[in-house]
Amino acid sequence: MLRKILMALESHLDRDIDGDGHTGKLKKMIKFFRNIRRQLLRKNRFSRYLIYAIGEIILVVIGILIALQINNWNEDRKNQSVELGLMKDLVTDLHNDTSSLEYAIKRNRIRTERLDSLLQYAQKVNSMDNQNLLYKLSLLSLSNIDLFQNQKRTLVKFPNLEKSVIREEVTDSLAAFLTSLENIEKQTEVYDRTYWDAMELQEKLFHNYLFLEPEYFNNGKETGKRFPRISKDTLLQLEYFNNIHLYSGVIKNYISGEYLEGHLDRTRRLISFLNNTYGFENDQVLK
């Protein structure tokens, strides 16, 4: 009965050795133990056979543990490679964001100055009589729209990653950064909505203007002919200038430390943090 048990154990060990594919010195040592076991089994020296069988089992277990450790090591190397590549791309995106933020802040500061000029002029006596100046101030104040657009090319990849790919301290910093981005996106929606409300009121107020007609403009310059009078609806005029005042406040808030200026500072600090954490150099990342 004992012999059958030992033979079954030997067969099991043989399958372990063949199935695990161990190579090198460990496999030679296992074969050495197996040959000794067989000799002991033929001589009916079961106690010593058990000792060698246990030794072989220990070697197999050690081999499996080594294989698992090598596999884990390979996975760690793959994760590190993926992490490094993503962080380089992210830092490049953040540098682009920095330029976009600086531009948006600069343009919107100019816009607030123009809006303030329009509001100051509207407070003067008979300001509604100078149609040309009123229109030019309004046109300059509402020409185009300068919103910050975040570079999400790399950030969108993060939700699909395993948690183990990105180190914990970086994940925490990115979470705070994404919260800042979400706040900016919400304020951008307010900015965009207020802008188009102002544009709609402007069109109603200046509805009679034919701005591109030759009698008013010639080769991009004013001919000197006065524009038609704006709408005489005093409620519409009041609504328009109230909206301009609101729009100016929205922009000032948008570029404040709570939003664009604050996010610009957070972006620069995140770039510095990632460069220090991963040992990047600016010229190395931007290549």
Side-chain angles (χ1 to χ4, degrees), residues 3 8 23 44 53 74 80 84 97 140 161-162 167 189 218 232 240:
R3 180 183 294 273
T23 58
N44 292 327
N74 287 333
Q80 288 174 6
L84 195 64
D97 279 353
L140 286 172
L161 294 175
E162 294 289 338
R167 59 195 71 181
E189 292 176 2
N218 185 15
K232 295 181 180 181
Y240 173 71

PDB file of all heavy atoms in Angstrom, residues 3 8 23 44 53 74 80 84 97 140 161-162 167 189 218 232 240:
ATOM      1  N   ARG A   3       3.886   1.440  -1.058  1.00  0.00           N
ATOM      2  CA  ARG A   3       4.577   1.527  -2.340  1.00  0.00           C
ATOM      3  C   ARG A   3       3.691   2.220  -3.386  1.00  0.00           C
ATOM      4  O   ARG A   3       4.163   3.051  -4.168  1.00  0.00           O
ATOM      5  CB  ARG A   3       4.952   0.123  -2.818  1.00  0.00           C
ATOM      6  CG  ARG A   3       5.695   0.132  -4.173  1.00  0.00           C
ATOM      7  CD  ARG A   3       5.967  -1.297  -4.615  1.00  0.00           C
ATOM      8  NE  ARG A   3       6.899  -1.943  -3.700  1.00  0.00           N
ATOM      9  CZ  ARG A   3       8.223  -1.866  -3.834  1.00  0.00           C
ATOM     10  NH1 ARG A   3       8.741  -1.159  -4.813  1.00  0.00           N
ATOM     11  NH2 ARG A   3       9.015  -2.481  -3.002  1.00  0.00           N
ATOM     12  N   ALA A   8       2.534   6.865  -6.760  1.00  0.00           N
ATOM     13  CA  ALA A   8       1.624   7.944  -7.183  1.00  0.00           C
ATOM     14  C   ALA A   8       2.261   9.301  -6.945  1.00  0.00           C
ATOM     15  O   ALA A   8       2.134  10.223  -7.764  1.00  0.00           O
ATOM     16  CB  ALA A   8       0.298   7.830  -6.421  1.00  0.00           C
ATOM     17  N   THR A  23      14.131  24.937 -16.070  1.00  0.00           N
ATOM     18  CA  THR A  23      15.375  24.653 -16.772  1.00  0.00           C
ATOM     19  C   THR A  23      16.563  24.910 -15.873  1.00  0.00           C
ATOM     20  O   THR A  23      16.425  25.409 -14.762  1.00  0.00           O
ATOM     21  CB  THR A  23      15.486  25.555 -18.020  1.00  0.00           C
ATOM     22  OG1 THR A  23      15.427  26.908 -17.608  1.00  0.00           O
ATOM     23  CG2 THR A  23      14.357  25.252 -19.009  1.00  0.00           C
ATOM     24  N   ASN A  44      13.725  -0.800  -1.362  1.00  0.00           N
ATOM     25  CA  ASN A  44      12.740  -0.790  -0.269  1.00  0.00           C
ATOM     26  C   ASN A  44      13.191   0.040   0.935  1.00  0.00           C
ATOM     27  O   ASN A  44      12.855  -0.274   2.080  1.00  0.00           O
ATOM     28  CB  ASN A  44      12.403  -2.212   0.202  1.00  0.00           C
ATOM     29  CG  ASN A  44      11.641  -2.973  -0.859  1.00  0.00           C
ATOM     30  OD1 ASN A  44      10.864  -2.374  -1.595  1.00  0.00           O
ATOM     31  ND2 ASN A  44      11.885  -4.265  -0.964  1.00  0.00           N
ATOM     32  N   ALA A  53      12.005  12.468  -1.439  1.00  0.00           N
ATOM     33  CA  ALA A  53      10.776  12.902  -2.098  1.00  0.00           C
ATOM     34  C   ALA A  53      10.355  14.280  -1.592  1.00  0.00           C
ATOM     35  O   ALA A  53       9.946  15.151  -2.370  1.00  0.00           O
ATOM     36  CB  ALA A  53       9.655  11.894  -1.856  1.00  0.00           C
ATOM     37  N   ASN A  74       8.462  40.767 -14.599  1.00  0.00           N
ATOM     38  CA  ASN A  74       8.207  41.140 -15.987  1.00  0.00           C
ATOM     39  C   ASN A  74       6.983  42.049 -16.091  1.00  0.00           C
ATOM     40  O   ASN A  74       6.965  43.013 -16.868  1.00  0.00           O
ATOM     41  CB  ASN A  74       8.005  39.892 -16.852  1.00  0.00           C
ATOM     42  CG  ASN A  74       9.302  39.155 -17.108  1.00  0.00           C
ATOM     43  OD1 ASN A  74      10.373  39.752 -17.091  1.00  0.00           O
ATOM     44  ND2 ASN A  74       9.217  37.860 -17.334  1.00  0.00           N
ATOM     45  N   GLN A  80       5.877  49.704 -15.691  1.00  0.00           N
ATOM     46  CA  GLN A  80       6.747  50.867 -15.596  1.00  0.00           C
ATOM     47  C   GLN A  80       6.948  51.514 -16.962  1.00  0.00           C
ATOM     48  O   GLN A  80       6.987  52.740 -17.081  1.00  0.00           O
ATOM     49  CB  GLN A  80       8.091  50.462 -15.002  1.00  0.00           C
ATOM     50  CG  GLN A  80       8.026  50.131 -13.510  1.00  0.00           C
ATOM     51  CD  GLN A  80       9.335  49.584 -12.988  1.00  0.00           C
ATOM     52  OE1 GLN A  80      10.347  49.551 -13.699  1.00  0.00           O
ATOM     53  NE2 GLN A  80       9.335  49.132 -11.744  1.00  0.00           N
ATOM     54  N   LEU A  84       5.742  55.237 -17.773  1.00  0.00           N
ATOM     55  CA  LEU A  84       6.716  56.236 -18.211  1.00  0.00           C
ATOM     56  C   LEU A  84       6.262  56.896 -19.515  1.00  0.00           C
ATOM     57  O   LEU A  84       6.339  58.123 -19.668  1.00  0.00           O
ATOM     58  CB  LEU A  84       8.084  55.580 -18.392  1.00  0.00           C
ATOM     59  CG  LEU A  84       9.287  56.516 -18.494  1.00  0.00           C
ATOM     60  CD1 LEU A  84       9.483  57.282 -17.203  1.00  0.00           C
ATOM     61  CD2 LEU A  84      10.553  55.725 -18.835  1.00  0.00           C
ATOM     62  N   ASP A  97      -1.094  72.899 -22.546  1.00  0.00           N
ATOM     63  CA  ASP A  97      -2.133  73.539 -21.737  1.00  0.00           C
ATOM     64  C   ASP A  97      -1.646  74.869 -21.170  1.00  0.00           C
ATOM     65  O   ASP A  97      -2.401  75.845 -21.113  1.00  0.00           O
ATOM     66  CB  ASP A  97      -2.538  72.624 -20.579  1.00  0.00           C
ATOM     67  CG  ASP A  97      -3.519  71.550 -21.000  1.00  0.00           C
ATOM     68  OD1 ASP A  97      -3.984  71.600 -22.157  1.00  0.00           O
ATOM     69  OD2 ASP A  97      -3.817  70.654 -20.199  1.00  0.00           O
ATOM     70  N   LEU A 140     -15.995  95.322 -30.640  1.00  0.00           N
ATOM     71  CA  LEU A 140     -14.705  94.908 -30.091  1.00  0.00           C
ATOM     72  C   LEU A 140     -14.881  94.067 -28.820  1.00  0.00           C
ATOM     73  O   LEU A 140     -14.126  93.126 -28.575  1.00  0.00           O
ATOM     74  CB  LEU A 140     -13.849  96.145 -29.778  1.00  0.00           C
ATOM     75  CG  LEU A 140     -13.255  96.875 -30.983  1.00  0.00           C
ATOM     76  CD1 LEU A 140     -12.602  98.168 -30.536  1.00  0.00           C
ATOM     77  CD2 LEU A 140     -12.235  95.983 -31.692  1.00  0.00           C
ATOM     78  N   LEU A 161      -6.844  52.133 -17.312  1.00  0.00           N
ATOM     79  CA  LEU A 161      -5.628  51.489 -16.813  1.00  0.00           C
ATOM     80  C   LEU A 161      -5.889  50.727 -15.523  1.00  0.00           C
ATOM     81  O   LEU A 161      -6.779  51.075 -14.745  1.00  0.00           O
ATOM     82  CB  LEU A 161      -4.536  52.533 -16.566  1.00  0.00           C
ATOM     83  CG  LEU A 161      -3.988  53.268 -17.788  1.00  0.00           C
ATOM     84  CD1 LEU A 161      -3.020  54.346 -17.328  1.00  0.00           C
ATOM     85  CD2 LEU A 161      -3.314  52.322 -18.755  1.00  0.00           C
ATOM     86  N   GLU A 162      -5.086  49.681 -15.299  1.00  0.00           N
ATOM     87  CA  GLU A 162      -5.104  49.017 -14.002  1.00  0.00           C
ATOM     88  C   GLU A 162      -4.542  49.977 -12.953  1.00  0.00           C
ATOM     89  O   GLU A 162      -3.647  50.780 -13.234  1.00  0.00           O
ATOM     90  CB  GLU A 162      -4.245  47.750 -14.049  1.00  0.00           C
ATOM     91  CG  GLU A 162      -4.780  46.655 -14.969  1.00  0.00           C
ATOM     92  CD  GLU A 162      -6.040  46.004 -14.416  1.00  0.00           C
ATOM     93  OE1 GLU A 162      -6.244  46.085 -13.188  1.00  0.00           O
ATOM     94  OE2 GLU A 162      -6.807  45.445 -15.204  1.00  0.00           O
ATOM     95  N   ARG A 167       1.717  54.953 -10.013  1.00  0.00           N
ATOM     96  CA  ARG A 167       2.027  54.978  -8.578  1.00  0.00           C
ATOM     97  C   ARG A 167       1.059  55.872  -7.817  1.00  0.00           C
ATOM     98  O   ARG A 167       0.515  56.835  -8.364  1.00  0.00           O
ATOM     99  CB  ARG A 167       3.478  55.396  -8.356  1.00  0.00           C
ATOM    100  CG  ARG A 167       3.848  56.747  -8.902  1.00  0.00           C
ATOM    101  CD  ARG A 167       5.351  56.939  -8.963  1.00  0.00           C
ATOM    102  NE  ARG A 167       5.955  56.118 -10.011  1.00  0.00           N
ATOM    103  CZ  ARG A 167       7.262  56.088 -10.267  1.00  0.00           C
ATOM    104  NH1 ARG A 167       8.087  56.812  -9.535  1.00  0.00           N
ATOM    105  NH2 ARG A 167       7.743  55.328 -11.230  1.00  0.00           N
ATOM    106  N   GLU A 189     -18.832  76.716 -19.385  1.00  0.00           N
ATOM    107  CA  GLU A 189     -20.214  76.657 -19.864  1.00  0.00           C
ATOM    108  C   GLU A 189     -20.964  77.946 -19.517  1.00  0.00           C
ATOM    109  O   GLU A 189     -21.745  78.450 -20.333  1.00  0.00           O
ATOM    110  CB  GLU A 189     -20.923  75.444 -19.248  1.00  0.00           C
ATOM    111  CG  GLU A 189     -20.399  74.106 -19.745  1.00  0.00           C
ATOM    112  CD  GLU A 189     -21.061  72.930 -19.040  1.00  0.00           C
ATOM    113  OE1 GLU A 189     -21.943  73.175 -18.191  1.00  0.00           O
ATOM    114  OE2 GLU A 189     -20.707  71.776 -19.341  1.00  0.00           O
ATOM    115  N   ASN A 218     -15.291 101.135 -46.643  1.00  0.00           N
ATOM    116  CA  ASN A 218     -14.640 101.068 -47.947  1.00  0.00           C
ATOM    117  C   ASN A 218     -13.209 100.576 -47.730  1.00  0.00           C
ATOM    118  O   ASN A 218     -12.405 101.244 -47.077  1.00  0.00           O
ATOM    119  CB  ASN A 218     -14.648 102.444 -48.623  1.00  0.00           C
ATOM    120  CG  ASN A 218     -14.082 102.366 -50.029  1.00  0.00           C
ATOM    121  OD1 ASN A 218     -13.946 101.287 -50.606  1.00  0.00           O
ATOM    122  ND2 ASN A 218     -13.758 103.521 -50.591  1.00  0.00           N
ATOM    123  N   LYS A 232     -34.632 101.961 -30.268  1.00  0.00           N
ATOM    124  CA  LYS A 232     -35.044 102.952 -29.273  1.00  0.00           C
ATOM    125  C   LYS A 232     -35.716 102.314 -28.065  1.00  0.00           C
ATOM    126  O   LYS A 232     -36.124 103.022 -27.142  1.00  0.00           O
ATOM    127  CB  LYS A 232     -35.986 103.958 -29.915  1.00  0.00           C
ATOM    128  CG  LYS A 232     -35.340 104.802 -31.004  1.00  0.00           C
ATOM    129  CD  LYS A 232     -36.337 105.798 -31.571  1.00  0.00           C
ATOM    130  CE  LYS A 232     -35.684 106.641 -32.658  1.00  0.00           C
ATOM    131  NZ  LYS A 232     -36.634 107.635 -33.225  1.00  0.00           N
ATOM    132  N   TYR A 240     -29.503  94.934 -22.436  1.00  0.00           N
ATOM    133  CA  TYR A 240     -28.213  94.703 -23.102  1.00  0.00           C
ATOM    134  C   TYR A 240     -27.051  95.109 -22.204  1.00  0.00           C
ATOM    135  O   TYR A 240     -26.103  94.328 -22.004  1.00  0.00           O
ATOM    136  CB  TYR A 240     -28.163  95.486 -24.417  1.00  0.00           C
ATOM    137  CG  TYR A 240     -26.815  95.454 -25.085  1.00  0.00           C
ATOM    138  CD1 TYR A 240     -26.330  94.286 -25.674  1.00  0.00           C
ATOM    139  CD2 TYR A 240     -26.004  96.583 -25.118  1.00  0.00           C
ATOM    140  CE1 TYR A 240     -25.091  94.249 -26.279  1.00  0.00           C
ATOM    141  CE2 TYR A 240     -24.759  96.568 -25.735  1.00  0.00           C
ATOM    142  CZ  TYR A 240     -24.312  95.394 -26.299  1.00  0.00           C
ATOM    143  OH  TYR A 240     -23.072  95.355 -26.893  1.00  0.00           O
TER     144      TYR A 240
END
